[in-house]
Amino acid sequence: MRWPWLLLVGCVPELPYDGGLVDTPRVLAIRADPAEARPGTPVRYTALVATPDGEGAEPVEWAYCVTPRRAEERTAVSATCLAGEDLEPIGSDAAILADACTRFGPNSPPVEGDEAPRRPSDPDATGGYYLPVRASTAEASAFGAQRVRCDLAGATRDVFDAWQDRYTDNLNPVIDQLDVPMSVAPGTTVDLGVQSSSAEPYVVYVAERSRLLDRTEDLTAHWFVTGGTLRDGRTPLRDGYASTRWTAPDAGDVHLWVVLLDDRGGVDWVSTTVRISLEDR
Amino acid sequence: MIWAVATALAQEPAPIEEIVVEADAVAPRDDVAEQVLEGDVAARIPGVQGDAVKAVQVLGGVARTPTGGDGLAIWGAAPAETRLYIDDVPVPRLFHRGGLRSVLPTPLVERLTVVPGAPGPRYGRGLGGVVQVRTAAPEPSWGGSVAVDPIDAAATLRAPGLQVGGRTGLLPHTLGPWVPESAVLPVPESWDAHARGRVELPNGDTLSLLVLAVDDQVERRLPAVLPDDRFVERSRSGFGRVGARVERFEGDVVTVSSGWVGVDGAGTQLALGDAKVREQTRVTAGGILLSQERTLTDAVTVSLGLDGQVGRTRIDRRGALSLPAREGDRQVLGQGPGDRVGVDTWTVRQAALGSFVGAALRPVPSLTLEPGLRFEPTMLDGDRVLPVRPTEPPVGYTELAIFTDPRLQLSAEPSQRLRIYAAGGRVHQPPDPADLSPVFGSPVLRPSRAWHALAGVVARPLSGLTAEVVGFGTSLRDLAVRPESPTPPTAALLASRGEGRTLGAQGTLRATAGALETFVTYTWMRAERRASGRDPWRLFDRDQTHGLQAALGWTRRRWELGTRLGLASGLPYTPVVDAVFDARGQRFDPLFGPYNAERLPLYVAVAVRAAWMRDTAWGRYRAWVDVQNATNQANPEAVFYTADYGREGLVRGLPILPVIGLEVAR
């Protein structure tokens, strides 16, 4: 027998939260085309705005966050940008900041006078550097990231040359197929699937070993619905396929979105509507 | 006597000659504000589950240790700023992981001493106070003991002049099955072993030996803000120490020579999805302590000594820049470490040779002045001053810092029933080797320093009643903190510009009446920190404005009953005021309000203990039941948020926890 009170030992509280349920307007994804480019390159940004009534049609305002994060900040962007400060408005068609590799990349920030050299930004686990982009509507906002192609810093000539030869800019993944029924009966549990063959190989520089490492991207599907219950809101793709299980609500059409992310900041998404119909019972 | 929680100053004043001859004779002079607890008394305090060392958490000025924590915060000093000793041997911690049990078995504990502030000149290398556990010399007879309770099983074997023993943790088998995966409390697989020897040398000197080994392993899944995630933590940490001490008594001269060597090892792997952190630390260290106390006249006693320590620390860390979290970091429980990673392997060698001199001057019998000085050159040598780059040769560094720290203690005894005292001084602490990475920290950190001041009065208005009030303040400078700029200079992710201050008062009342004894201590304190002299003061992460311990004990023949009430201000925390969606990470990022602007609710805990003991010709039997949090108060330990930070709840601490212990000793 288990003593019920012992189950409380330093426990976190039960706070139900369904991150896959779109019950208020949300910016679910931000895509940059191209997904990775050098500073100064023209890019086009698009946002997936979801509302309980389907995809939102409100105009989206765009801005770059121009302040890097402090080392201890665990967030995607600096606290000042989260608070709506240090933002530089742009259009959906914009150019990557010319000094992006200095602000957010491996190049040392400029110094004045005889100041000591400043610490460049640290990469993520894929060796990437990102320029934060904010998309906001009247009711929702989110930050995305533009992966910036910066030169390799601190490597030997041989490694630098090899990296220049072998490194390829990231491409946005592509959803090849979505396995979702057109209509289901109320309360029915069905499997939903997504297929993609977009996982790209890439190289990452390992500074402490002074060598390049070959890797392949991981793809992850994130599921969102306006009704019903998802078993898993986030599913990694294995062999190019990911699935989750969804229990339909009792009534009404349900809007469904799948956001596909690669681990270098590439994005694709697809949406559909599922009819909840008694005829399918 | 259950509640002999004593203050050194509460004892009857004794002439210097008596102090020299008594008091273990080897123990350096008592510090004016120290609190002393005998081991057998400490083990009987309700709520410590028979663990003598754990009683240190009950003493005045010691902040409540959060559930799952094992560090002591005393008078506003962080755990890493408080020096811990077992005899003369410094140790990294006094508790096993999770804090449910100390690293020393109770039979080995003779006495606990806490110097919360303004220590004498023999102590250095710590900004805060000192906790010292004095081990008991083995009895000159054959014997042994076994003890078991749900936390561990212990056995000791004793021969004349030698005691060896060991304990193995039982928590994975007793508490582990009931602790859910999302529990904050770590349930370690732990063991410790010890050997304690004492030999009378032919020349009359006394040689004491201590060997100690401690090990903890933890594998657990910590809660994460994202419901689908869990932090997976695997860690192993331990340390070993071998110490020797020779004591010589020659008339009015007491000489102590001691030395120790030790190793510390720790390995941690933490993973949250793709975010991984790995750290391996290995420390080899050793030290010597040579001290002599000489009584020159009835009015003058001088002491002097050397306190040397060398150490080599090698750390291999790879993973998030934000980990390990530091005091002052904005974060919430279960938040991911961020996407930026670093890698570094660095080595730091430290050598310090402290020399100290002190005197006890009694110009009149009722007044004692104790000026002292600690002079300590400290050398730091590191293998990297800049992050490793294959295009650049490695460049190391060597720094020499010289500390000259004056100390002063004075006490006056207008009557046998009243003592007034004051003390002050400066202390220094060299940088933590873990902070000296050119990638994760900074190799150019300066030593931190602090000034301490205190004044108090002890009164014994009635027989059996002792009251004490002490006021204290500290000022800390050059603390290692995060830099102000998001783009600090290279190899400067930490900077020596933090400041701290603590102001407080503490009252203690102790009374004995027949078989009843009571002990009450209350501390009011405000501990603050700031990142630099230009920033506003904010609450220290372990600030505890109010702390109360009230205990009542009753002893009669074979029976002991006791209860204790603990009240403590909740820990401060930084509220989340909003959240913004991170579309790349598919998670919400919190937007924080003012740092430590909120505080958890009051912590209330009642502990109850009952014990029965019987002495026979064969040996001693003891059985006890200790109930921690007897009222099953749902004490908050932390705030936990939903993934969108829209709602919050409280993580609760330990519920009612009855522990039954059995001991057989011969």
Side-chain angles (χ1 to χ4, degrees):
Chain A
M1 187 187 88
R2 291 195 171 198
W3 301 339
W5 43 263
L6 271 178
L7 295 175
L8 300 173
V9 178
C11 267
V12 298
E14 288 292 332
L15 295 173
Y17 172 74
D18 185 355
L21 181 66
V22 176
D23 52 1
T24 58
R26 291 172 62 180
V27 178
L28 297 180
I30 295 171
R31 180 168 60 198
D33 287 299
E36 179 174 5
R38 288 189 176 276
T41 305
V43 285
R44 169 165 292 179
Y45 297 110
T46 48
L48 170 59
V49 181
T51 74
D53 302 321
E55 244 167 82
E58 289 184 53
V60 177
E61 294 184 357
W62 296 93
Y64 283 138
C65 166
V66 295
T67 305
R69 290 170 286 174
R70 295 156 56 101
E72 73 274 19
E73 287 184 306
R74 303 172 173 212
T75 48
V77 300
S78 67
T80 53
C81 289
L82 281 178
E85 303 163 9
D86 294 337
L87 297 170
E88 186 175 301
I90 56 172
S92 59
D93 290 302
I96 297 176
L97 290 179
D99 59 355
C101 289
T102 302
R103 289 177 189 263
F104 301 98
N107 300 346
S108 292
V111 296
E112 294 179 1
D114 56 356
E115 278 185 340
R118 298 205 161 260
R119 179 192 179 96
S121 292
D122 297 271
D124 73 353
T126 68
Y129 302 93
Y130 300 88
L131 169 63
V133 186
R134 191 182 79 164
S136 55
T137 68
E139 296 178 292
S141 68
F143 281 92
Q146 166 73 60
R147 188 174 171 110
V148 184
R149 170 79 179 261
C150 301
D151 289 330
L152 198 57
T156 60
R157 185 76 208 185
D158 291 347
V159 174
F160 182 85
D161 290 343
W163 187 85
Q164 291 282 72
D165 289 343
R166 296 173 56 195
Y167 189 89
T168 53
D169 288 341
N170 186 37
L171 302 176
N172 282 313
V174 177
I175 294 175
D176 299 330
Q177 184 176 321
L178 181 65
D179 297 331
V180 174
M182 297 290 290
S183 65
V184 296
T188 306
T189 298
V190 295
D191 287 330
L192 313 176
V194 66
Q195 187 175 321
S196 173
S197 56
S198 299
E200 302 165 71
Y202 67 99
V203 291
V204 62
Y205 173 58
V206 184
E208 73 273 18
R209 285 189 271 172
S210 186
R211 53 176 284 202
L212 301 178
L213 203 63
D214 289 295
R215 286 188 184 162
T216 303
E217 286 178 340
D218 291 324
L219 300 178
T220 308
H222 296 263
W223 304 83
F224 301 91
V225 291
T226 55
T229 307
L230 288 163
R231 185 189 62 187
D232 298 308
R234 182 184 60 181
T235 54
L237 270 71
R238 303 190 196 288
D239 297 326
Y241 192 79
S243 66
T244 188
R245 187 159 286 187
W246 172 64
T247 302
D250 292 335
D253 292 346
V254 173
H255 302 282
L256 182 147
W257 295 268
V258 184
V259 176
L260 183 69
L261 297 176
D262 67 32
D263 53 11
R264 293 198 292 164
V267 187
D268 192 20
W269 61 76
V270 66
S271 61
T272 188
T273 302
V274 181
R275 276 192 66 201
I276 309 300
S277 169
L278 289 172
E279 296 170 5
D280 291 292
R281 190 179 289 272
Chain B
M1 195 165 66
I2 294 179
W3 288 108
V5 175
T7 305
L9 293 168
Q11 297 162 357
E12 290 289 349
I16 289 177
E17 298 88 337
E18 288 183 32
I19 293 174
V20 172
V21 177
E22 287 177 6
D24 207 4
V26 292
R29 188 176 306 283
D30 292 339
D31 290 84
V32 292
E34 74 180 14
Q35 301 174 75
V36 179
L37 199 54
E38 300 301 323
D40 59 340
V41 173
R44 287 180 274 160
I45 292 178
V48 304
Q49 295 96 33
D51 187 343
V53 176
K54 207 173 171 187
V56 74
Q57 299 172 348
V58 176
L59 293 176
V62 180
R64 183 185 73 82
T65 304
T67 298
D70 48 33
L72 296 170
I74 303 174
W75 276 10
E81 295 163 357
T82 299
R83 296 282 286 173
L84 309 173
Y85 292 92
I86 297 176
D87 292 333
D88 299 324
V89 179
V91 292
R93 55 193 166 97
L94 288 175
F95 297 95
H96 283 285
R97 285 289 311 276
L100 285 179
R101 184 121 295 176
S102 73
V103 299
L104 277 183
T106 293
L108 196 61
V109 178
E110 181 181 82
R111 191 167 63 243
L112 302 172
T113 303
V114 174
V115 183
R122 65 198 159 95
Y123 293 118
R125 305 179 198 124
L127 290 183
V130 176
V131 178
Q132 185 174 50
V133 182
R134 184 66 70 188
T135 59
E139 294 175 20
S141 61
W142 289 87
S145 67
V146 292
V148 64
D149 62 37
I151 301 176
D152 61 30
T156 61
L157 187 63
R158 190 182 67 245
L162 178 67
Q163 174 178 304
V164 296
R167 296 187 297 182
T168 181
L170 300 178
L171 284 171
H173 312 291
T174 53
L175 190 62
W178 320 114
V179 176
E181 277 194 339
S182 60
V184 175
L185 180 72
V187 180
E189 291 183 27
S190 60
W191 63 264
D192 57 59
H194 72 271
R196 173 73 162 88
R198 181 185 170 96
V199 180
E200 298 292 339
L201 300 177
N203 63 356
D205 294 354
T206 304
L207 170 65
S208 299
L209 295 168
L210 175 69
V211 179
L212 181 67
V214 176
D215 184 68
D216 288 295
Q217 288 186 65
V218 174
E219 180 167 347
R220 60 173 174 167
R221 295 165 73 85
L222 293 162
V225 171
L226 280 177
D228 296 338
D229 282 342
R230 283 282 182 274
F231 284 102
V232 180
E233 181 198 10
R234 294 184 183 87
S235 67
R236 180 170 190 172
S237 60
F239 65 90
R241 292 288 185 274
V242 177
R245 172 187 173 98
V246 176
E247 303 161 1
R248 173 175 293 178
F249 303 92
E250 290 176 317
D252 292 334
V253 180
V254 182
T255 306
V256 175
S257 309
S258 68
W260 63 275
V261 292
V263 294
D264 301 357
T268 301
Q269 291 184 8
L270 189 64
L272 176 73
D274 294 335
K276 293 181 174 60
V277 177
R278 199 190 80 189
E279 180 170 311
Q280 294 281 339
T281 302
R282 184 167 180 83
V283 181
T284 51
I288 57 163
L289 174 67
L290 308 172
S291 71
Q292 189 172 80
E293 189 172 272
R294 186 180 293 260
T295 303
L296 301 180
T297 70
D298 288 350
V300 179
T301 300
V302 296
S303 61
L304 69 164
L306 286 175
D307 176 13
Q309 186 171 326
V310 295
R312 177 184 183 274
T313 304
R314 183 167 179 81
I315 301 176
D316 179 9
R317 184 187 296 169
R318 52 196 63 220
L321 297 178
S322 62
L323 294 178
R326 301 182 66 84
E327 203 280 339
D329 283 358
R330 285 178 163 82
Q331 55 164 330
V332 298
L333 179 66
Q335 188 182 4
D339 60 347
R340 290 164 299 166
V341 294
V343 178
D344 195 22
T345 300
W346 70 102
T347 302
V348 176
R349 296 174 187 84
Q350 289 178 295
L353 185 61
S355 54
F356 57 88
V357 58
L361 311 173
R362 305 188 74 182
V364 293
S366 61
L367 178 65
T368 304
L369 298 171
E370 297 182 67
L373 186 72
R374 185 178 178 94
F375 176 78
E376 186 159 21
T378 300
M379 191 191 72
L380 275 178
D381 179 85
D383 65 340
R384 291 212 177 269
V385 74
L386 290 171
V388 57
R389 281 190 167 197
T391 53
E392 298 164 2
V395 178
Y397 61 93
T398 301
E399 296 278 345
L400 177 66
I402 298 176
F403 312 141
T404 305
D405 293 334
R407 317 278 171 90
L408 177 65
Q409 303 188 356
L410 59 90
S411 60
E413 294 149 25
S415 75
Q416 288 284 324
R417 295 183 177 275
L418 185 67
R419 175 174 291 187
I420 302 166
Y421 61 85
R426 187 170 65 182
V427 290
H428 275 89
Q429 180 168 340
D432 183 349
D435 290 344
L436 295 175
S437 160
V439 174
F440 295 96
S442 174
V444 294
L445 291 177
R446 295 192 303 274
S448 308
R449 58 195 160 92
W451 282 96
H452 293 205
L454 61 87
V457 57
V458 185
R460 306 187 71 183
L462 300 170
S463 178
L465 176 65
T466 303
E468 179 177 3
V469 177
V470 57
F472 56 89
T474 60
S475 173
L476 293 75
R477 291 290 183 274
D478 297 338
L479 303 175
V481 294
R482 304 281 193 187
E484 197 173 14
S485 167
T487 55
T490 302
L493 266 193
L494 293 173
S496 296
R497 55 185 184 83
E499 297 182 0
R501 66 182 183 187
T502 304
L503 191 65
Q506 181 178 314
T508 305
L509 189 70
R510 184 169 63 91
T512 307
L516 281 175
E517 189 155 6
T518 186
F519 165 74
V520 180
T521 181
Y522 167 77
T523 305
W524 173 87
M525 183 174 60
R526 186 171 179 87
E528 297 174 311
R529 300 271 166 123
R530 61 180 176 183
S532 76
R534 297 191 302 273
D535 294 309
W537 290 101
R538 47 93 179 159
L539 283 180
F540 175 50
D541 284 354
R542 293 284 296 271
D543 174 71
Q544 182 180 283
T545 307
H546 304 284
L548 173 75
Q549 296 285 342
L552 180 67
W554 175 82
T555 307
R556 190 171 181 87
R557 294 177 185 165
R558 297 172 182 169
W559 289 93
E560 301 164 2
L561 294 175
T563 184
R564 176 170 60 90
L565 166 69
L567 297 175
S569 300
L571 290 172
Y573 72 94
T574 305
V576 175
V577 296
D578 200 358
V580 180
F581 193 63
D582 164 25
R584 176 172 163 246
Q586 289 290 311
R587 67 191 65 183
F588 285 88
D589 281 338
L591 182 60
F592 292 99
Y595 193 84
N596 279 350
E598 304 282 346
R599 194 183 279 280
L600 292 171
L602 186 73
Y603 176 92
V604 183
V606 175
V608 179
R609 183 177 190 273
W612 171 87
M613 184 180 69
R614 185 180 180 195
D615 285 314
T616 69
W618 187 88
R620 167 177 290 185
Y621 305 87
R622 176 183 284 168
W624 50 263
V625 57
D626 183 300
V627 185
Q628 189 171 328
N629 192 11
T631 58
N632 199 26
Q633 180 83 13
N635 282 307
E637 293 282 357
V639 176
F640 193 75
Y641 292 90
T642 52
D644 65 349
Y645 297 92
R647 287 186 299 151
E648 63 182 63
L650 295 174
V651 177
R652 303 294 179 178
L654 284 172
I656 183 172
L657 184 64
V659 175
I660 297 172
L662 302 170
E663 302 166 17
V664 181
R666 180 181 168 85

